[in-house]
Amino acid sequence: MTNTENTRKTILSGIQPTNTPHLGNYLGATKNWVDMQASYDCVCFVADLHAITVRQDPAKLRAQTRQTYALLMAMGMDADKSILFVQSHNHHHAELNWVLSCFTQFGELSRMTQFKDKSSKGEDSMNAGLFTYPTLQAADILLYQADLVPVGADQKQHLELSRNIAVRFNNAYSPTLVVPEPHIPKAVGKIMSLSEPTKKMSKSDDNPNASVSVLDERDVIIRKFKRAVTDSEAQICYREEDEAKAGINNLLSIYAAVTGKAVAEAEAEFAGRGYGEFKEAVGAAVADVFEPVQREYARLIEDKAHLDACMKSGAQRAMRISGKTLAKVYRKVGLLSIDN
């Protein structure tokens, strides 16, 4: 089954409002979402319902949700061109989640990598939401009859579950839900920690110098890159299989990604130059990319009325689409409607 309402395919993306997005989030995800608006019907949401599988400070979560929404707009998500909304503002997500949970096998959820990792550690914070959230992810996707979902290596398992649930539902009744395909975004080298370049950059890293936030000030960004771990070879070259070059590989990948140059071009540009000069140049290039985002974010976050209006409009547009899917699902499973 494919989305035939128009000639453009629908692509869906979401981001949790936990901490400010970092450089890896920007290059690996949100920048691609912005670029996709030219070719796809984009549905993009702030996944606040997913955030509460871990206990949150309520006031902080509300503030971070608003900030994340404003950041997506500042990065280039167009609230008029795309459907941009906050997940909890559309109750259809929670409603379809329940129906789809009745089409999700216990064994499927127990094999999800994140649940297995956390449960093996015996963490006290384990709760039913952490076990069943992949079904909510399926609802997020299937509500909008999304043809495509951008996925990295760590999300393929969740998309496969969404596909299995859609196929299972369609086989039980009749073709109702679009079976989504993975969208592999334009290749960007994996963005690693600046302090431990064999690990991915993470929002939750305890070391403040390990990651670069989209909202870090220019001097902070450059200082973090100056402190980035490299090696003692003093040769700016990319050697993928050489773990000793992980730091330089990471910096070359970042520089290439933010400048639009090939890694080989970056190597040639800095041939014979020192690590200190190279690291400062990478930091400056990143700061240059983030500067207009920060300026637009500062403007948007101060205009609460405009943000609220955009969120309300986005939720209404989302509900018009998701409501049609939910009504079909309810009718197929036999739930009684009192609407005329």
Side-chain angles (χ1 to χ4, degrees), residues 177-205:
L177 302 170
V178 171
V179 180
E181 297 288 342
H183 179 273
I184 308 302
K186 180 181 177 182
V188 172
K190 189 182 295 183
I191 306 304
M192 312 302 283
S193 163
L194 297 184
S195 59
E196 295 182 70
T198 56
K199 291 170 44 180
K200 278 183 68 175
M201 188 174 285
S202 171
K203 290 190 288 187
S204 58
D205 199 307

mmCIF file of all heavy atoms in Angstrom, residues 177-205:
data_model
loop_
_atom_site.group_PDB
_atom_site.id
_atom_site.type_symbol
_atom_site.label_atom_id
_atom_site.label_comp_id
_atom_site.label_asym_id
_atom_site.label_seq_id
_atom_site.Cartn_x
_atom_site.Cartn_y
_atom_site.Cartn_z
ATOM 1 N N LEU A 177 -3.309 0.711 6.604
ATOM 2 C CA LEU A 177 -2.134 1.471 7.043
ATOM 3 C C LEU A 177 -1.006 1.343 6.021
ATOM 4 O O LEU A 177 -0.703 0.237 5.556
ATOM 5 C CB LEU A 177 -1.656 0.957 8.402
ATOM 6 C CG LEU A 177 -2.685 1.009 9.540
ATOM 7 C CD1 LEU A 177 -2.167 0.254 10.762
ATOM 8 C CD2 LEU A 177 -3.016 2.456 9.900
ATOM 9 N N VAL A 178 -0.397 2.466 5.684
ATOM 10 C CA VAL A 178 0.777 2.443 4.806
ATOM 11 C C VAL A 178 1.931 1.766 5.536
ATOM 12 O O VAL A 178 2.195 2.063 6.703
ATOM 13 C CB VAL A 178 1.178 3.877 4.389
ATOM 14 C CG1 VAL A 178 2.522 3.877 3.669
ATOM 15 C CG2 VAL A 178 0.101 4.497 3.506
ATOM 16 N N VAL A 179 2.583 0.843 4.866
ATOM 17 C CA VAL A 179 3.757 0.175 5.437
ATOM 18 C C VAL A 179 4.970 1.047 5.115
ATOM 19 O O VAL A 179 5.374 1.166 3.962
ATOM 20 C CB VAL A 179 3.937 -1.237 4.848
ATOM 21 C CG1 VAL A 179 5.168 -1.908 5.468
ATOM 22 C CG2 VAL A 179 2.684 -2.080 5.097
ATOM 23 N N PRO A 180 5.551 1.698 6.126
ATOM 24 C CA PRO A 180 6.616 2.685 5.871
ATOM 25 C C PRO A 180 7.930 2.044 5.461
ATOM 26 O O PRO A 180 8.252 0.924 5.868
ATOM 27 C CB PRO A 180 6.754 3.392 7.224
ATOM 28 C CG PRO A 180 6.372 2.333 8.219
ATOM 29 C CD PRO A 180 5.268 1.538 7.563
ATOM 30 N N GLU A 181 8.677 2.787 4.665
ATOM 31 C CA GLU A 181 10.008 2.365 4.242
ATOM 32 C C GLU A 181 11.054 3.240 4.946
ATOM 33 O O GLU A 181 10.788 4.398 5.267
ATOM 34 C CB GLU A 181 10.170 2.524 2.728
ATOM 35 C CG GLU A 181 9.224 1.660 1.903
ATOM 36 C CD GLU A 181 9.599 0.187 1.935
ATOM 37 O OE1 GLU A 181 10.763 -0.129 2.295
ATOM 38 O OE2 GLU A 181 8.736 -0.643 1.609
ATOM 39 N N PRO A 182 12.240 2.701 5.167
ATOM 40 C CA PRO A 182 13.300 3.530 5.753
ATOM 41 C C PRO A 182 13.834 4.521 4.721
ATOM 42 O O PRO A 182 13.924 4.208 3.537
ATOM 43 C CB PRO A 182 14.373 2.510 6.133
ATOM 44 C CG PRO A 182 14.155 1.361 5.195
ATOM 45 C CD PRO A 182 12.671 1.306 4.949
ATOM 46 N N HIS A 183 14.139 5.711 5.184
ATOM 47 C CA HIS A 183 14.796 6.707 4.333
ATOM 48 C C HIS A 183 16.200 6.898 4.863
ATOM 49 O O HIS A 183 16.389 7.318 6.009
ATOM 50 C CB HIS A 183 14.036 8.036 4.358
ATOM 51 C CG HIS A 183 14.681 9.109 3.521
ATOM 52 N ND1 HIS A 183 15.668 9.936 4.022
ATOM 53 C CD2 HIS A 183 14.501 9.466 2.224
ATOM 54 C CE1 HIS A 183 16.054 10.769 3.063
ATOM 55 N NE2 HIS A 183 15.369 10.509 1.971
ATOM 56 N N ILE A 184 17.167 6.557 4.051
ATOM 57 C CA ILE A 184 18.562 6.688 4.462
ATOM 58 C C ILE A 184 19.031 8.069 4.041
ATOM 59 O O ILE A 184 19.150 8.356 2.847
ATOM 60 C CB ILE A 184 19.455 5.607 3.816
ATOM 61 C CG1 ILE A 184 18.851 4.220 4.053
ATOM 62 C CG2 ILE A 184 20.863 5.703 4.368
ATOM 63 C CD1 ILE A 184 18.654 3.851 5.494
ATOM 64 N N PRO A 185 19.255 8.973 4.998
ATOM 65 C CA PRO A 185 19.635 10.346 4.643
ATOM 66 C C PRO A 185 20.999 10.411 3.999
ATOM 67 O O PRO A 185 21.774 9.449 4.033
ATOM 68 C CB PRO A 185 19.613 11.082 5.987
ATOM 69 C CG PRO A 185 19.800 10.020 7.011
ATOM 70 C CD PRO A 185 19.194 8.766 6.443
ATOM 71 N N LYS A 186 21.270 11.564 3.404
ATOM 72 C CA LYS A 186 22.568 11.819 2.789
ATOM 73 C C LYS A 186 23.684 11.481 3.779
ATOM 74 O O LYS A 186 23.629 11.862 4.945
ATOM 75 C CB LYS A 186 22.667 13.293 2.378
ATOM 76 C CG LYS A 186 23.975 13.675 1.717
ATOM 77 C CD LYS A 186 23.978 15.161 1.365
ATOM 78 C CE LYS A 186 25.309 15.587 0.767
ATOM 79 N NZ LYS A 186 25.338 17.049 0.467
ATOM 80 N N ALA A 187 24.635 10.741 3.298
ATOM 81 C CA ALA A 187 25.689 10.241 4.186
ATOM 82 C C ALA A 187 26.453 11.376 4.863
ATOM 83 O O ALA A 187 26.926 12.299 4.218
ATOM 84 C CB ALA A 187 26.661 9.371 3.406
ATOM 85 N N VAL A 188 26.497 11.306 6.179
ATOM 86 C CA VAL A 188 27.324 12.211 6.978
ATOM 87 C C VAL A 188 28.095 11.323 7.940
ATOM 88 O O VAL A 188 27.515 10.446 8.573
ATOM 89 C CB VAL A 188 26.465 13.219 7.770
ATOM 90 C CG1 VAL A 188 27.328 14.012 8.728
ATOM 91 C CG2 VAL A 188 25.724 14.145 6.820
ATOM 92 N N GLY A 189 29.395 11.520 8.025
ATOM 93 C CA GLY A 189 30.166 10.717 8.951
ATOM 94 C C GLY A 189 29.587 10.813 10.354
ATOM 95 O O GLY A 189 29.142 11.864 10.784
ATOM 96 N N LYS A 190 29.561 9.698 11.055
ATOM 97 C CA LYS A 190 29.011 9.689 12.412
ATOM 98 C C LYS A 190 29.764 10.705 13.269
ATOM 99 O O LYS A 190 30.998 10.726 13.277
ATOM 100 C CB LYS A 190 29.136 8.287 13.007
ATOM 101 C CG LYS A 190 28.413 8.115 14.332
ATOM 102 C CD LYS A 190 28.623 6.714 14.887
ATOM 103 C CE LYS A 190 27.997 5.667 14.015
ATOM 104 N NZ LYS A 190 28.160 4.307 14.625
ATOM 105 N N ILE A 191 29.020 11.565 13.951
ATOM 106 C CA ILE A 191 29.648 12.612 14.762
ATOM 107 C C ILE A 191 29.942 12.055 16.148
ATOM 108 O O ILE A 191 29.032 11.655 16.876
ATOM 109 C CB ILE A 191 28.752 13.860 14.842
ATOM 110 C CG1 ILE A 191 28.374 14.328 13.438
ATOM 111 C CG2 ILE A 191 29.456 14.964 15.618
ATOM 112 C CD1 ILE A 191 29.553 14.619 12.521
ATOM 113 N N MET A 192 31.207 12.063 16.488
ATOM 114 C CA MET A 192 31.646 11.438 17.722
ATOM 115 C C MET A 192 31.930 12.473 18.801
ATOM 116 O O MET A 192 32.022 13.677 18.540
ATOM 117 C CB MET A 192 32.913 10.612 17.453
ATOM 118 C CG MET A 192 32.826 9.698 16.239
ATOM 119 S SD MET A 192 31.457 8.502 16.306
ATOM 120 C CE MET A 192 32.149 7.308 17.447
ATOM 121 N N SER A 193 32.077 11.988 20.026
ATOM 122 C CA SER A 193 32.424 12.823 21.168
ATOM 123 C C SER A 193 33.762 13.504 20.930
ATOM 124 O O SER A 193 34.702 12.904 20.401
ATOM 125 C CB SER A 193 32.492 11.956 22.427
ATOM 126 O OG SER A 193 33.191 12.613 23.465
ATOM 127 N N LEU A 194 33.866 14.777 21.323
ATOM 128 C CA LEU A 194 35.140 15.486 21.178
ATOM 129 C C LEU A 194 36.167 15.023 22.200
ATOM 130 O O LEU A 194 37.372 15.135 21.970
ATOM 131 C CB LEU A 194 34.917 16.998 21.316
ATOM 132 C CG LEU A 194 34.022 17.658 20.270
ATOM 133 C CD1 LEU A 194 33.972 19.169 20.492
ATOM 134 C CD2 LEU A 194 34.476 17.343 18.856
ATOM 135 N N SER A 195 35.695 14.504 23.322
ATOM 136 C CA SER A 195 36.624 14.067 24.371
ATOM 137 C C SER A 195 36.931 12.567 24.301
ATOM 138 O O SER A 195 37.995 12.127 24.736
ATOM 139 C CB SER A 195 36.060 14.398 25.752
ATOM 140 O OG SER A 195 34.813 13.773 25.949
ATOM 141 N N GLU A 196 35.998 11.779 23.751
ATOM 142 C CA GLU A 196 36.205 10.336 23.558
ATOM 143 C C GLU A 196 35.745 9.983 22.155
ATOM 144 O O GLU A 196 34.625 9.514 21.972
ATOM 145 C CB GLU A 196 35.435 9.525 24.596
ATOM 146 C CG GLU A 196 35.889 9.714 26.029
ATOM 147 C CD GLU A 196 35.107 8.844 26.987
ATOM 148 O OE1 GLU A 196 35.293 7.609 26.960
ATOM 149 O OE2 GLU A 196 34.285 9.383 27.744
ATOM 150 N N PRO A 197 36.594 10.198 21.153
ATOM 151 C CA PRO A 197 36.158 10.088 19.764
ATOM 152 C C PRO A 197 35.821 8.691 19.271
ATOM 153 O O PRO A 197 35.483 8.520 18.098
ATOM 154 C CB PRO A 197 37.336 10.684 18.980
ATOM 155 C CG PRO A 197 38.510 10.561 19.879
ATOM 156 C CD PRO A 197 37.977 10.703 21.262
ATOM 157 N N THR A 198 35.865 7.704 20.145
ATOM 158 C CA THR A 198 35.390 6.373 19.762
ATOM 159 C C THR A 198 33.935 6.182 20.183
ATOM 160 O O THR A 198 33.347 5.132 19.918
ATOM 161 C CB THR A 198 36.265 5.273 20.396
ATOM 162 O OG1 THR A 198 36.284 5.440 21.821
ATOM 163 C CG2 THR A 198 37.693 5.334 19.862
ATOM 164 N N LYS A 199 33.354 7.196 20.849
ATOM 165 C CA LYS A 199 31.950 7.155 21.281
ATOM 166 C C LYS A 199 31.149 8.219 20.535
ATOM 167 O O LYS A 199 31.681 9.277 20.204
ATOM 168 C CB LYS A 199 31.838 7.430 22.784
ATOM 169 C CG LYS A 199 32.387 6.356 23.681
ATOM 170 C CD LYS A 199 32.446 6.825 25.134
ATOM 171 C CE LYS A 199 31.207 7.554 25.580
ATOM 172 N NZ LYS A 199 31.291 8.012 26.994
ATOM 173 N N LYS A 200 29.867 7.938 20.287
ATOM 174 C CA LYS A 200 29.019 8.930 19.644
ATOM 175 C C LYS A 200 28.837 10.156 20.527
ATOM 176 O O LYS A 200 28.797 10.042 21.759
ATOM 177 C CB LYS A 200 27.629 8.337 19.341
ATOM 178 C CG LYS A 200 27.547 7.526 18.074
ATOM 179 C CD LYS A 200 26.128 7.040 17.822
ATOM 180 C CE LYS A 200 25.189 8.179 17.497
ATOM 181 N NZ LYS A 200 23.831 7.709 17.129
ATOM 182 N N MET A 201 28.707 11.323 19.903
ATOM 183 C CA MET A 201 28.372 12.532 20.648
ATOM 184 C C MET A 201 26.982 12.347 21.251
ATOM 185 O O MET A 201 26.065 11.866 20.582
ATOM 186 C CB MET A 201 28.393 13.751 19.718
ATOM 187 C CG MET A 201 28.238 15.084 20.436
ATOM 188 S SD MET A 201 28.429 16.525 19.336
ATOM 189 C CE MET A 201 30.208 16.533 19.089
ATOM 190 N N SER A 202 26.829 12.733 22.519
ATOM 191 C CA SER A 202 25.569 12.500 23.221
ATOM 192 C C SER A 202 25.157 13.726 24.026
ATOM 193 O O SER A 202 25.999 14.387 24.641
ATOM 194 C CB SER A 202 25.713 11.300 24.163
ATOM 195 O OG SER A 202 24.596 11.170 25.012
ATOM 196 N N LYS A 203 23.836 13.984 24.028
ATOM 197 C CA LYS A 203 23.300 15.084 24.833
ATOM 198 C C LYS A 203 23.474 14.825 26.318
ATOM 199 O O LYS A 203 23.513 15.755 27.115
ATOM 200 C CB LYS A 203 21.805 15.280 24.515
ATOM 201 C CG LYS A 203 21.516 15.840 23.156
ATOM 202 C CD LYS A 203 20.051 16.245 23.009
ATOM 203 C CE LYS A 203 19.128 15.075 22.905
ATOM 204 N NZ LYS A 203 17.728 15.474 22.600
ATOM 205 N N SER A 204 23.545 13.552 26.697
ATOM 206 C CA SER A 204 23.577 13.207 28.122
ATOM 207 C C SER A 204 24.988 12.993 28.661
ATOM 208 O O SER A 204 25.151 12.566 29.803
ATOM 209 C CB SER A 204 22.743 11.939 28.360
ATOM 210 O OG SER A 204 23.235 10.860 27.589
ATOM 211 N N ASP A 205 26.009 13.287 27.856
ATOM 212 C CA ASP A 205 27.397 13.098 28.304
ATOM 213 C C ASP A 205 27.681 14.011 29.490
ATOM 214 O O ASP A 205 27.366 15.202 29.482
ATOM 215 C CB ASP A 205 28.361 13.403 27.154
ATOM 216 C CG ASP A 205 29.738 12.797 27.380
ATOM 217 O OD1 ASP A 205 30.326 13.033 28.452
ATOM 218 O OD2 ASP A 205 30.208 12.086 26.485
#
